[in-house]
Amino acid sequence: MESSSPSVPFPLLQAPVESTYRACTIPYRFPSDNPRKATPVEIQWIDLFLKSVPSFRQRAENDPTVPDAPAKAEKFAQRYTDMLEELKKNPESHGGPPDCILLCRLRELILRELGFHDIFKKVKDEENAKAMSLFEGVVQRNDEIEDGEKRAENLIRGILAGNIFDLGSAQLAEVFAKDGMSFLASCQNLLSRPWVIDDLDAFKSKWTKKSWEKAVIFVDNSGADIILGILPFARELLRRGTKVILAANDMPSINDITYLELVEIVNKLKDENGKLAGVDVSDLIVANSGNDLPVIDLSSVAPELAYMASDADLVVLEGMGRGIETNLYAQMKCDSIKIGMVKHPEVAQFLGGRLYDCVFKFNEA
């Protein structure tokens, strides 16, 4: 199931990683809790994963690449539900106590064991095609903004608006099934600032004074998220002379983009001169992060990524899974941004914010 090469800690985490880094943001339990009894927070999160089982089953039963998909999808739903219920009764079962990484991993393992390797492929392809047709217009609108701070804010709002396309959230999967999503409307309808974590003003003033040498961006979803949110931001960094590494998943998970899919998208978006809407992309690298989940544990990344990223001076963790539910408090040796939209009520409650609130956390080295 895992990436074939052994993994290593991400080199820009504050050392010593063993004692200073914990991937999961929300503690489901404390040392004083009874190890054999599920905590209220564990139960709350297990219930959240239980709620998403029907939408995963539905995607799986319609997977044309798997023979006997409906029967296997039913098997997946049954097995995963049983596991989650067992974890409620005995939090030490199935490799517990549970956290968001374990709950995601168990779901992926069952799907893959049953032969489901990419149940969101159809919707990813459709959304990528839609977003690619809008890419030129989005970057053109950014390019028309002459004021540096305003342009930076517009790019950040684009990332947050794009991040709505997340089919791992049960509510959003429903909204999405009904009527798809308009990127521009999403940009205009972000919740008003100040957001629940809002360092945008500090970032904008840094943006006008500094350009970074090399940025590593851990990307999230397919569709508008990567194509209309992250790529215009990456293109602007390239234009300002920053080398950019886009780190994407090794294997499919929910509707997250994989590095192979991203290589293909970037190639399709290049113009006849090999540029991204007029901007040279020779300093853009798409890398395999070594990850196969919608969340990420930075103590374990692909060695190639670690090698390429070791001298970066900006790290961006984008999306609820990689930048909020994991890594929100991860300390880096360089400047860092954690950016995403809060799409689970449980996360909103933990942060003391609103559902669909935004997180923009900027820390200077």
Side-chain angles (χ1 to χ4, degrees), residues 18-36:
E18 303 71 39
S19 58
T20 56
Y21 176 68
R22 203 184 67 204
C24 295
T25 301
I26 302 175
Y28 288 10
R29 64 168 47 242
F30 293 99
S32 56
D33 289 320
N34 179 346
R36 283 175 291 283

Side-chain angles (χ1 to χ4, degrees), residues 211-217 234 237-246 282-285 308 311-314:
S211 62
W212 292 271
E213 296 282 318
K214 186 192 272 189
V216 182
I217 305 175
L237 287 170
L238 290 163
R239 197 216 307 253
R240 290 159 53 99
T242 306
K243 295 182 172 74
V244 177
I245 298 170
L246 298 175
S282 51
D283 280 334
L284 175 68
I285 293 174
M308 288 188 284
D311 59 344
D313 52 355
L314 176 66

Side-chain angles (χ1 to χ4, degrees), residues 2 38 45 49 116 124 129 172 214 237 256 301 304 324 340:
E2 303 298 339
W45 277 86
F49 277 79
F116 294 109
K124 287 194 301 186
L172 282 174
K214 186 192 272 189
L237 287 170
D256 290 6
V301 302
E304 301 78 9
I324 304 177

Side-chain angles (χ1 to χ4, degrees), residues 243-288:
K243 295 182 172 74
V244 177
I245 298 170
L246 298 175
N249 267 14
D250 180 27
M251 292 165 74
S253 183
I254 318 189
N255 61 319
D256 290 6
I257 193 91
T258 66
Y259 81 103
L260 288 174
E261 291 166 343
L262 186 48
V263 167
E264 194 183 319
I265 285 169
V266 170
N267 285 333
K268 282 184 180 165
L269 287 173
K270 284 180 190 168
D271 57 29
E272 62 280 6
N273 306 314
K275 295 185 170 184
L276 206 52
V279 172
D280 182 28
V281 288
S282 51
D283 280 334
L284 175 68
I285 293 174
V286 176
N288 178 354

Side-chain angles (χ1 to χ4, degrees), residues 280-310:
D280 182 28
V281 288
S282 51
D283 280 334
L284 175 68
I285 293 174
V286 176
N288 178 354
S289 67
N291 187 44
D292 60 349
L293 297 176
V295 288
I296 191 166
D297 179 349
L298 291 177
S299 65
S300 170
V301 302
E304 301 78 9
L305 173 66
Y307 174 74
M308 288 188 284
S310 57

Side-chain angles (χ1 to χ4, degrees), residues 162-280:
N163 194 232
I164 295 175
F165 176 52
D166 181 353
L167 301 180
S169 150
Q171 281 104 324
L172 282 174
E174 276 173 42
V175 172
F176 191 81
K178 281 200 196 82
D179 57 6
M181 287 182 181
S182 147
F183 178 70
L184 259 184
S186 303
C187 277
Q188 282 146 8
N189 296 336
L190 292 179
L191 288 188
S192 58
R193 294 182 61 202
W195 299 319
V196 65
I197 298 177
D198 192 335
D199 298 328
L200 183 57
D201 293 341
F203 172 73
K204 287 194 302 189
S205 87
K206 182 86 178 227
W207 173 271
T208 53
K209 294 185 193 84
K210 171 179 182 170
S211 62
W212 292 271
E213 296 282 318
K214 186 192 272 189
V216 182
I217 305 175
F218 287 88
V219 301
D220 189 17
N221 304 306
S222 305
D225 193 341
I226 182 71
I227 295 164
L228 306 180
I230 289 295
L231 284 178
F233 178 68
R235 172 181 172 273
E236 189 66 21
L237 287 170
L238 290 163
R239 197 216 307 253
R240 290 159 53 99
T242 306
K243 295 182 172 74
V244 177
I245 298 170
L246 298 175
N249 267 14
D250 180 27
M251 292 165 74
S253 183
I254 318 189
N255 61 319
D256 290 6
I257 193 91
T258 66
Y259 81 103
L260 288 174
E261 291 166 343
L262 186 48
V263 167
E264 194 183 319
I265 285 169
V266 170
N267 285 333
K268 282 184 180 165
L269 287 173
K270 284 180 190 168
D271 57 29
E272 62 280 6
N273 306 314
K275 295 185 170 184
L276 206 52
V279 172
D280 182 28

Side-chain angles (χ1 to χ4, degrees), residues 56 64 79 198 200 247 300-301 335 341 349:
F56 277 77
R79 262 190 222 171
D198 192 335
L200 183 57
S300 170
V301 302
D335 292 354
M341 184 176 276
Q349 184 188 334

